[in-house]
Amino acid sequence: MPESTTIRPRTKLFSRSGLFRRKSFEGPDEAGPGGLPRTMGLWQLVSLSLGGLVGAGVFSLAGVVANQQAGPGVMISFLIAIIASSAAALCYAEFAGLIPRAGSAYTYSYAALGEVAGWLIGWDLLLEYTAIVAVVAIAVSGYLSYVVEQVGLDLPSWMLGAPGTGPGHRVDLFAALLCLLLAFVLSRGSKQSARFETALVVVKLAIVALVVVAGAFHISAGNFSPFLPYGIGGAVAGAATTFFAVYGYDAMTAAAEESVEAKRLLPKAIIVSLAIAAVIYLLVSIVLVGMQRYDQIDVHSPFSSALAAVGLAGLAGLGTVVAVGGILGITTSAFANMLAVSRIWFAMSRDGLLPRYFARTHPRRRVPTRVIWPVGIGSAVIAGFLPIKEAADLTNIGILAAFIVVSIAVVVLRRTRPDLPRSFRTPWVPFVPLVGVAFAVWLIANLDALTWLRFAGWMVLGLVVYAVFGFRNSVENPERKET
């Protein structure tokens, strides 16, 4: 007589058939009906990663952190963040070559540590990526406001920022509308979207190079003193805020299922893109605080104001050009992260942890449009009503938690499944993963209590959703398979 299909939490909840059931490492090489087509090559993957890596961190957060937290020590903030990110990146590279499927850290932790770990990280990333889109949209809005001011238009103050960011501010309308525009572009199809992203990344990198070269000739050594006006603690706190700017490769791995030769190309794309981003951030930090005193930097459009502050008419005009370029360039970061959250949501729905309604792709464009629009609306709400630093801190706690889990999962999987074929192996395990964990714990401890409270509330809500829906409807649930 067949076994009862009734789930018995007391006997199965903490077993391999309960909370710790695991996703298979095997997956289809090509998209099946309703799946995601494999169309991205190496440089499209690198562009997608750089789209997330080089964005608001260059054009906005570098100025915010220098002005409010670290002063010229913003260079130390970025250095700490890059070291922490590099350790985690090597762990991501191993998993990307091992499990080239949609979902990034969600899929990795599900396969290595079990369903409950996968669920928590996936739920975490849904909020984190959506908030990143909002942060980047706020950065774009700051530069757009600068351009509008330069051409002489006087906009009403109610639409220029979130409540509390300035006199009369009620909503950041530009940022909210950008989120909705990105959702529209992303819903057009992955191949067309990748081309759009690659083109904007090229423009963005050209503008960054222009800023660095032009600004290098107008650096004043006096602007570097005092180097740590807020103390070393300010630089560390700044690293916790800037950290989200140096992990765009995580967004790229969420789209692994759309890569050709994924096992070979994904690890390479992660390493190449992070190396490029590291050089860019350090050069940009030096030039920014070298051109203008940290306490005079305009946090809304740092580079445009810094170039104008040098006092030469030509560079003041260049500030406007940079602002226009920043609008286009930073948009790539929002695009990469909106793509990532849509793929994670898609993967979780395909696995049954969220309603399978969202796992259906558009019949012609073959993208998860049923996910893209809720993400666009959610990010628009955050962008419209939260200041950039609060939104950035909200994203950091989520990605730091994901990095901790992925780093631990590499060590666990080396011991439990040493036989798995790995196209890339993280060096010096367990030392490198533990460095990633240590930095992540250190950085997360510097986030404020309100950020922790919001994160805890989101995770509690996630556990409720999993208990009510995800646990029973998971495709890995043996009772569900028998019915």
Side-chain angles (χ1 to χ4, degrees), residues 84-113:
S85 185
S86 297
L90 294 172
C91 297
Y92 270 84
E94 178 165 327
F95 270 117
L98 189 60
I99 318 174
R101 302 181 67 184
S104 187
Y106 155 71
T107 299
Y108 306 156
S109 54
Y110 196 164
L113 301 177

PDB file of all heavy atoms in Angstrom, residues 84-113:
ATOM      1  N   ALA A  84      36.547  42.629  -0.238  1.00  0.00           N
ATOM      2  CA  ALA A  84      35.465  41.751   0.201  1.00  0.00           C
ATOM      3  C   ALA A  84      34.730  41.170  -0.984  1.00  0.00           C
ATOM      4  O   ALA A  84      34.410  39.973  -1.028  1.00  0.00           O
ATOM      5  CB  ALA A  84      34.496  42.537   1.089  1.00  0.00           C
ATOM      6  N   SER A  85      34.485  41.991  -1.988  1.00  0.00           N
ATOM      7  CA  SER A  85      33.761  41.532  -3.154  1.00  0.00           C
ATOM      8  C   SER A  85      34.572  40.521  -3.956  1.00  0.00           C
ATOM      9  O   SER A  85      34.017  39.567  -4.513  1.00  0.00           O
ATOM     10  CB  SER A  85      33.395  42.727  -4.043  1.00  0.00           C
ATOM     11  OG  SER A  85      32.593  42.332  -5.125  1.00  0.00           O
ATOM     12  N   SER A  86      35.889  40.700  -4.030  1.00  0.00           N
ATOM     13  CA  SER A  86      36.734  39.778  -4.793  1.00  0.00           C
ATOM     14  C   SER A  86      36.709  38.378  -4.194  1.00  0.00           C
ATOM     15  O   SER A  86      36.659  37.376  -4.924  1.00  0.00           O
ATOM     16  CB  SER A  86      38.174  40.296  -4.838  1.00  0.00           C
ATOM     17  OG  SER A  86      38.241  41.533  -5.515  1.00  0.00           O
ATOM     18  N   ALA A  87      36.754  38.295  -2.868  1.00  0.00           N
ATOM     19  CA  ALA A  87      36.702  36.978  -2.216  1.00  0.00           C
ATOM     20  C   ALA A  87      35.392  36.281  -2.538  1.00  0.00           C
ATOM     21  O   ALA A  87      35.360  35.085  -2.850  1.00  0.00           O
ATOM     22  CB  ALA A  87      36.870  37.137  -0.704  1.00  0.00           C
ATOM     23  N   ALA A  88      34.301  37.034  -2.473  1.00  0.00           N
ATOM     24  CA  ALA A  88      33.007  36.442  -2.799  1.00  0.00           C
ATOM     25  C   ALA A  88      32.895  36.137  -4.284  1.00  0.00           C
ATOM     26  O   ALA A  88      32.284  35.143  -4.678  1.00  0.00           O
ATOM     27  CB  ALA A  88      31.887  37.388  -2.370  1.00  0.00           C
ATOM     28  N   ALA A  89      33.494  36.989  -5.129  1.00  0.00           N
ATOM     29  CA  ALA A  89      33.415  36.782  -6.582  1.00  0.00           C
ATOM     30  C   ALA A  89      34.019  35.448  -6.997  1.00  0.00           C
ATOM     31  O   ALA A  89      33.503  34.766  -7.890  1.00  0.00           O
ATOM     32  CB  ALA A  89      34.122  37.926  -7.304  1.00  0.00           C
ATOM     33  N   LEU A  90      35.119  35.056  -6.353  1.00  0.00           N
ATOM     34  CA  LEU A  90      35.740  33.775  -6.675  1.00  0.00           C
ATOM     35  C   LEU A  90      34.821  32.613  -6.314  1.00  0.00           C
ATOM     36  O   LEU A  90      34.810  31.585  -6.996  1.00  0.00           O
ATOM     37  CB  LEU A  90      37.081  33.652  -5.938  1.00  0.00           C
ATOM     38  CG  LEU A  90      38.163  34.639  -6.392  1.00  0.00           C
ATOM     39  CD1 LEU A  90      39.369  34.562  -5.471  1.00  0.00           C
ATOM     40  CD2 LEU A  90      38.573  34.368  -7.833  1.00  0.00           C
ATOM     41  N   CYS A  91      34.034  32.782  -5.256  1.00  0.00           N
ATOM     42  CA  CYS A  91      33.063  31.752  -4.886  1.00  0.00           C
ATOM     43  C   CYS A  91      31.914  31.701  -5.897  1.00  0.00           C
ATOM     44  O   CYS A  91      31.463  30.629  -6.296  1.00  0.00           O
ATOM     45  CB  CYS A  91      32.523  32.015  -3.481  1.00  0.00           C
ATOM     46  SG  CYS A  91      33.772  31.931  -2.180  1.00  0.00           S
ATOM     47  N   TYR A  92      31.450  32.872  -6.308  1.00  0.00           N
ATOM     48  CA  TYR A  92      30.410  32.929  -7.335  1.00  0.00           C
ATOM     49  C   TYR A  92      30.896  32.292  -8.632  1.00  0.00           C
ATOM     50  O   TYR A  92      30.138  31.620  -9.337  1.00  0.00           O
ATOM     51  CB  TYR A  92      29.995  34.372  -7.589  1.00  0.00           C
ATOM     52  CG  TYR A  92      28.864  34.853  -6.725  1.00  0.00           C
ATOM     53  CD1 TYR A  92      29.093  35.342  -5.444  1.00  0.00           C
ATOM     54  CD2 TYR A  92      27.553  34.817  -7.182  1.00  0.00           C
ATOM     55  CE1 TYR A  92      28.062  35.794  -4.644  1.00  0.00           C
ATOM     56  CE2 TYR A  92      26.502  35.266  -6.383  1.00  0.00           C
ATOM     57  CZ  TYR A  92      26.760  35.752  -5.115  1.00  0.00           C
ATOM     58  OH  TYR A  92      25.726  36.174  -4.321  1.00  0.00           O
ATOM     59  N   ALA A  93      32.172  32.537  -8.974  1.00  0.00           N
ATOM     60  CA  ALA A  93      32.709  31.997 -10.222  1.00  0.00           C
ATOM     61  C   ALA A  93      32.675  30.467 -10.217  1.00  0.00           C
ATOM     62  O   ALA A  93      32.376  29.842 -11.232  1.00  0.00           O
ATOM     63  CB  ALA A  93      34.138  32.500 -10.428  1.00  0.00           C
ATOM     64  N   GLU A  94      32.992  29.864  -9.062  1.00  0.00           N
ATOM     65  CA  GLU A  94      32.939  28.396  -8.991  1.00  0.00           C
ATOM     66  C   GLU A  94      31.522  27.894  -9.199  1.00  0.00           C
ATOM     67  O   GLU A  94      31.286  26.946  -9.957  1.00  0.00           O
ATOM     68  CB  GLU A  94      33.476  27.905  -7.649  1.00  0.00           C
ATOM     69  CG  GLU A  94      33.387  26.391  -7.508  1.00  0.00           C
ATOM     70  CD  GLU A  94      34.229  25.833  -6.372  1.00  0.00           C
ATOM     71  OE1 GLU A  94      35.310  26.402  -6.093  1.00  0.00           O
ATOM     72  OE2 GLU A  94      33.809  24.830  -5.776  1.00  0.00           O
ATOM     73  N   PHE A  95      30.559  28.517  -8.541  1.00  0.00           N
ATOM     74  CA  PHE A  95      29.166  28.093  -8.685  1.00  0.00           C
ATOM     75  C   PHE A  95      28.629  28.374 -10.086  1.00  0.00           C
ATOM     76  O   PHE A  95      27.843  27.597 -10.623  1.00  0.00           O
ATOM     77  CB  PHE A  95      28.285  28.777  -7.646  1.00  0.00           C
ATOM     78  CG  PHE A  95      28.170  28.012  -6.365  1.00  0.00           C
ATOM     79  CD1 PHE A  95      28.643  28.547  -5.177  1.00  0.00           C
ATOM     80  CD2 PHE A  95      27.582  26.755  -6.338  1.00  0.00           C
ATOM     81  CE1 PHE A  95      28.538  27.838  -3.988  1.00  0.00           C
ATOM     82  CE2 PHE A  95      27.472  26.047  -5.155  1.00  0.00           C
ATOM     83  CZ  PHE A  95      27.951  26.583  -3.975  1.00  0.00           C
ATOM     84  N   ALA A  96      29.040  29.506 -10.671  1.00  0.00           N
ATOM     85  CA  ALA A  96      28.555  29.856 -12.008  1.00  0.00           C
ATOM     86  C   ALA A  96      28.978  28.806 -13.031  1.00  0.00           C
ATOM     87  O   ALA A  96      28.218  28.476 -13.944  1.00  0.00           O
ATOM     88  CB  ALA A  96      29.076  31.227 -12.408  1.00  0.00           C
ATOM     89  N   GLY A  97      30.186  28.274 -12.870  1.00  0.00           N
ATOM     90  CA  GLY A  97      30.634  27.223 -13.769  1.00  0.00           C
ATOM     91  C   GLY A  97      30.036  25.866 -13.452  1.00  0.00           C
ATOM     92  O   GLY A  97      30.011  24.976 -14.299  1.00  0.00           O
ATOM     93  N   LEU A  98      29.540  25.722 -12.239  1.00  0.00           N
ATOM     94  CA  LEU A  98      28.990  24.438 -11.792  1.00  0.00           C
ATOM     95  C   LEU A  98      27.494  24.319 -12.074  1.00  0.00           C
ATOM     96  O   LEU A  98      27.004  23.252 -12.464  1.00  0.00           O
ATOM     97  CB  LEU A  98      29.243  24.292 -10.288  1.00  0.00           C
ATOM     98  CG  LEU A  98      28.939  22.947  -9.629  1.00  0.00           C
ATOM     99  CD1 LEU A  98      29.778  21.839 -10.246  1.00  0.00           C
ATOM    100  CD2 LEU A  98      29.205  23.046  -8.138  1.00  0.00           C
ATOM    101  N   ILE A  99      26.758  25.414 -11.871  1.00  0.00           N
ATOM    102  CA  ILE A  99      25.297  25.409 -12.041  1.00  0.00           C
ATOM    103  C   ILE A  99      24.902  26.614 -12.898  1.00  0.00           C
ATOM    104  O   ILE A  99      24.455  27.639 -12.366  1.00  0.00           O
ATOM    105  CB  ILE A  99      24.559  25.492 -10.687  1.00  0.00           C
ATOM    106  CG1 ILE A  99      25.220  24.606  -9.639  1.00  0.00           C
ATOM    107  CG2 ILE A  99      23.090  25.113 -10.851  1.00  0.00           C
ATOM    108  CD1 ILE A  99      24.639  24.757  -8.261  1.00  0.00           C
ATOM    109  N   PRO A 100      25.044  26.524 -14.218  1.00  0.00           N
ATOM    110  CA  PRO A 100      24.735  27.666 -15.077  1.00  0.00           C
ATOM    111  C   PRO A 100      23.237  27.810 -15.345  1.00  0.00           C
ATOM    112  O   PRO A 100      22.760  27.682 -16.469  1.00  0.00           O
ATOM    113  CB  PRO A 100      25.506  27.342 -16.364  1.00  0.00           C
ATOM    114  CG  PRO A 100      25.507  25.849 -16.419  1.00  0.00           C
ATOM    115  CD  PRO A 100      25.584  25.387 -14.982  1.00  0.00           C
ATOM    116  N   ARG A 101      22.486  28.063 -14.274  1.00  0.00           N
ATOM    117  CA  ARG A 101      21.039  28.183 -14.388  1.00  0.00           C
ATOM    118  C   ARG A 101      20.582  29.504 -13.781  1.00  0.00           C
ATOM    119  O   ARG A 101      21.289  30.119 -12.978  1.00  0.00           O
ATOM    120  CB  ARG A 101      20.349  27.014 -13.688  1.00  0.00           C
ATOM    121  CG  ARG A 101      20.763  25.653 -14.236  1.00  0.00           C
ATOM    122  CD  ARG A 101      20.048  24.519 -13.529  1.00  0.00           C
ATOM    123  NE  ARG A 101      18.609  24.530 -13.817  1.00  0.00           N
ATOM    124  CZ  ARG A 101      17.743  23.681 -13.250  1.00  0.00           C
ATOM    125  NH1 ARG A 101      18.177  22.787 -12.369  1.00  0.00           N
ATOM    126  NH2 ARG A 101      16.465  23.729 -13.560  1.00  0.00           N
ATOM    127  N   ALA A 102      19.408  29.935 -14.162  1.00  0.00           N
ATOM    128  CA  ALA A 102      18.875  31.200 -13.666  1.00  0.00           C
ATOM    129  C   ALA A 102      18.749  31.166 -12.145  1.00  0.00           C
ATOM    130  O   ALA A 102      18.457  30.128 -11.554  1.00  0.00           O
ATOM    131  CB  ALA A 102      17.505  31.470 -14.292  1.00  0.00           C
ATOM    132  N   GLY A 103      18.988  32.314 -11.505  1.00  0.00           N
ATOM    133  CA  GLY A 103      18.747  32.395 -10.067  1.00  0.00           C
ATOM    134  C   GLY A 103      19.908  32.825  -9.209  1.00  0.00           C
ATOM    135  O   GLY A 103      19.726  33.168  -8.046  1.00  0.00           O
ATOM    136  N   SER A 104      21.149  32.764  -9.715  1.00  0.00           N
ATOM    137  CA  SER A 104      22.314  33.220  -8.966  1.00  0.00           C
ATOM    138  C   SER A 104      22.398  32.567  -7.586  1.00  0.00           C
ATOM    139  O   SER A 104      22.284  31.347  -7.456  1.00  0.00           O
ATOM    140  CB  SER A 104      22.285  34.746  -8.854  1.00  0.00           C
ATOM    141  OG  SER A 104      23.457  35.246  -8.281  1.00  0.00           O
ATOM    142  N   ALA A 105      22.596  33.378  -6.524  1.00  0.00           N
ATOM    143  CA  ALA A 105      22.822  32.846  -5.181  1.00  0.00           C
ATOM    144  C   ALA A 105      21.646  32.004  -4.696  1.00  0.00           C
ATOM    145  O   ALA A 105      21.833  31.073  -3.902  1.00  0.00           O
ATOM    146  CB  ALA A 105      23.081  33.986  -4.202  1.00  0.00           C
ATOM    147  N   TYR A 106      20.442  32.309  -5.149  1.00  0.00           N
ATOM    148  CA  TYR A 106      19.283  31.494  -4.790  1.00  0.00           C
ATOM    149  C   TYR A 106      19.474  30.058  -5.256  1.00  0.00           C
ATOM    150  O   TYR A 106      19.329  29.104  -4.471  1.00  0.00           O
ATOM    151  CB  TYR A 106      18.010  32.085  -5.411  1.00  0.00           C
ATOM    152  CG  TYR A 106      16.912  31.069  -5.613  1.00  0.00           C
ATOM    153  CD1 TYR A 106      16.222  30.543  -4.527  1.00  0.00           C
ATOM    154  CD2 TYR A 106      16.598  30.602  -6.887  1.00  0.00           C
ATOM    155  CE1 TYR A 106      15.230  29.579  -4.707  1.00  0.00           C
ATOM    156  CE2 TYR A 106      15.614  29.651  -7.076  1.00  0.00           C
ATOM    157  CZ  TYR A 106      14.932  29.139  -5.985  1.00  0.00           C
ATOM    158  OH  TYR A 106      13.969  28.178  -6.172  1.00  0.00           O
ATOM    159  N   THR A 107      19.812  29.880  -6.520  1.00  0.00           N
ATOM    160  CA  THR A 107      19.991  28.534  -7.072  1.00  0.00           C
ATOM    161  C   THR A 107      21.191  27.837  -6.437  1.00  0.00           C
ATOM    162  O   THR A 107      21.135  26.639  -6.128  1.00  0.00           O
ATOM    163  CB  THR A 107      20.177  28.616  -8.596  1.00  0.00           C
ATOM    164  OG1 THR A 107      19.002  29.207  -9.168  1.00  0.00           O
ATOM    165  CG2 THR A 107      20.386  27.249  -9.207  1.00  0.00           C
ATOM    166  N   TYR A 108      22.288  28.580  -6.208  1.00  0.00           N
ATOM    167  CA  TYR A 108      23.487  27.974  -5.631  1.00  0.00           C
ATOM    168  C   TYR A 108      23.220  27.447  -4.225  1.00  0.00           C
ATOM    169  O   TYR A 108      23.596  26.306  -3.880  1.00  0.00           O
ATOM    170  CB  TYR A 108      24.631  29.000  -5.578  1.00  0.00           C
ATOM    171  CG  TYR A 108      24.956  29.657  -6.894  1.00  0.00           C
ATOM    172  CD1 TYR A 108      25.577  30.902  -6.934  1.00  0.00           C
ATOM    173  CD2 TYR A 108      24.648  29.049  -8.118  1.00  0.00           C
ATOM    174  CE1 TYR A 108      25.885  31.523  -8.132  1.00  0.00           C
ATOM    175  CE2 TYR A 108      24.953  29.658  -9.317  1.00  0.00           C
ATOM    176  CZ  TYR A 108      25.565  30.900  -9.318  1.00  0.00           C
ATOM    177  OH  TYR A 108      25.863  31.519 -10.500  1.00  0.00           O
ATOM    178  N   SER A 109      22.596  28.266  -3.393  1.00  0.00           N
ATOM    179  CA  SER A 109      22.357  27.843  -2.010  1.00  0.00           C
ATOM    180  C   SER A 109      21.303  26.747  -1.941  1.00  0.00           C
ATOM    181  O   SER A 109      21.377  25.862  -1.082  1.00  0.00           O
ATOM    182  CB  SER A 109      21.942  29.049  -1.152  1.00  0.00           C
ATOM    183  OG  SER A 109      20.834  29.719  -1.713  1.00  0.00           O
ATOM    184  N   TYR A 110      20.329  26.764  -2.842  1.00  0.00           N
ATOM    185  CA  TYR A 110      19.301  25.713  -2.903  1.00  0.00           C
ATOM    186  C   TYR A 110      19.961  24.370  -3.182  1.00  0.00           C
ATOM    187  O   TYR A 110      19.666  23.357  -2.530  1.00  0.00           O
ATOM    188  CB  TYR A 110      18.299  26.078  -4.002  1.00  0.00           C
ATOM    189  CG  TYR A 110      16.986  25.327  -3.977  1.00  0.00           C
ATOM    190  CD1 TYR A 110      15.898  25.807  -4.705  1.00  0.00           C
ATOM    191  CD2 TYR A 110      16.810  24.150  -3.259  1.00  0.00           C
ATOM    192  CE1 TYR A 110      14.673  25.144  -4.705  1.00  0.00           C
ATOM    193  CE2 TYR A 110      15.590  23.478  -3.252  1.00  0.00           C
ATOM    194  CZ  TYR A 110      14.526  23.980  -3.988  1.00  0.00           C
ATOM    195  OH  TYR A 110      13.327  23.319  -3.987  1.00  0.00           O
ATOM    196  N   ALA A 111      20.894  24.337  -4.140  1.00  0.00           N
ATOM    197  CA  ALA A 111      21.544  23.080  -4.520  1.00  0.00           C
ATOM    198  C   ALA A 111      22.553  22.611  -3.483  1.00  0.00           C
ATOM    199  O   ALA A 111      22.710  21.406  -3.259  1.00  0.00           O
ATOM    200  CB  ALA A 111      22.235  23.246  -5.874  1.00  0.00           C
ATOM    201  N   ALA A 112      23.227  23.546  -2.813  1.00  0.00           N
ATOM    202  CA  ALA A 112      24.302  23.165  -1.896  1.00  0.00           C
ATOM    203  C   ALA A 112      23.845  22.995  -0.455  1.00  0.00           C
ATOM    204  O   ALA A 112      24.330  22.098   0.248  1.00  0.00           O
ATOM    205  CB  ALA A 112      25.420  24.215  -1.944  1.00  0.00           C
ATOM    206  N   LEU A 113      22.916  23.819   0.014  1.00  0.00           N
ATOM    207  CA  LEU A 113      22.567  23.832   1.431  1.00  0.00           C
ATOM    208  C   LEU A 113      21.138  23.402   1.723  1.00  0.00           C
ATOM    209  O   LEU A 113      20.805  23.128   2.873  1.00  0.00           O
ATOM    210  CB  LEU A 113      22.786  25.244   2.000  1.00  0.00           C
ATOM    211  CG  LEU A 113      24.216  25.797   1.878  1.00  0.00           C
ATOM    212  CD1 LEU A 113      24.271  27.226   2.409  1.00  0.00           C
ATOM    213  CD2 LEU A 113      25.204  24.911   2.609  1.00  0.00           C
TER     214      LEU A 113
END
